[in-house]
Amino acid sequence: MEKTEINRLLTCILEILEMMVESGAEIYRVEESAVRVCKAYGMERVDIYATTSNIIISVEDGGTIKSHTRRVKQINTDIERVHRLNELVRNMTTNTPSISEIAEEIKNSFPKEKLRALEAVLANDPRPRYQHDSERVYAMEFAGFEV
C-alpha cells in the first residue's frame, strides 16, 4: 500500500474509532476494531492505545511506519451509533471496501443538517497555500467532528 493510501486509511480508521469512543463504546472494542481492520487491509503490525480522551495508532506496512493521534473531546452514549459503527467495522474486515467507500460511509454518519455547511467550507479548500507536500494529511474540527 502506498504512503498516501496508508494515511487516508488511517484517517478513516481514526474517524471511526473517535466516533466509537464519543458514542460510548468500550475501549477494548475500539482497540480490537482497529487491529482487525488494519490486519484486514494488510498491515503487518498494529499498535493502538485508546482512552476516553485520546487514540494513538501506529501501523507498519512494508517497512513504512505511520503513526496518528486523535484527541477525543466529547463523550455521549449513543448505542445505535455504536451498533452502526460496529457494522461498518465488520464490513471493513469482511469485504475490505475501498477507502473512498469507507469515507462515504463516514460521511453518511455526519449530521445531515451540518453536511451542507461542511461541504461549502471544504469546497473553498481550507488547506494552507504555502504547503505543497502531497504526503501531508490535513484535518480540522467542524461541528464537533474532526474532518
Side-chain angles (χ1 to χ4, degrees):
M1 192 176 288
E2 292 180 26
K3 289 180 184 180
T4 54
E5 283 184 312
I6 293 171
N7 278 332
R8 288 181 61 216
L9 179 61
L10 276 180
T11 299
C12 287
I13 291 170
L14 266 176
E15 191 66 37
I16 293 165
L17 300 178
E18 181 182 15
M19 288 188 286
M20 290 176 79
V21 172
E22 287 176 343
S23 301
E26 300 94 340
I27 294 301
Y28 82 88
R29 186 179 305 260
V30 172
E31 293 179 338
E32 180 183 275
S33 295
V35 171
R36 288 187 308 134
V37 168
C38 288
K39 293 289 186 182
Y41 281 85
M43 300 298 155
E44 297 165 11
R45 181 180 173 134
V46 181
D47 292 307
I48 173 121
Y49 178 71
T51 67
T52 55
S53 62
N54 196 30
I55 303 167
I56 303 167
I57 186 167
S58 293
V59 297
E60 184 175 344
D61 181 54
T64 300
I65 298 173
K66 290 286 185 180
S67 295
H68 287 236
T69 303
R70 182 70 58 93
R71 175 108 166 103
V72 180
K73 297 179 182 155
Q74 62 184 7
I75 298 175
N76 297 307
T77 301
D78 187 342
I79 301 304
E80 181 61 35
R81 190 175 190 204
V82 170
H83 175 72
R84 286 192 317 267
L85 293 167
N86 283 332
E87 288 293 319
L88 176 56
V89 167
R90 278 190 212 77
N91 179 43
M92 291 171 72
T93 57
T94 305
N95 302 317
T96 57
S98 71
I99 296 170
S100 297
E101 291 171 322
I102 298 166
E104 187 65 31
E105 286 292 326
I106 293 170
K107 178 182 169 185
N108 289 338
S109 71
F110 198 83
K112 302 293 182 224
E113 66 276 4
K114 296 179 180 173
L115 188 56
R116 283 192 180 176
L118 174 62
E119 288 172 342
V121 168
L122 295 177
N124 289 315
D125 192 6
R127 294 176 291 184
R129 298 288 181 236
Y130 55 84
Q131 292 287 348
H132 302 290
D133 183 0
S134 62
E135 301 273 322
R136 192 171 183 126
V137 176
Y138 293 94
M140 66 180 209
E141 189 173 324
F142 184 89
F145 289 87
E146 188 156 328
V147 293

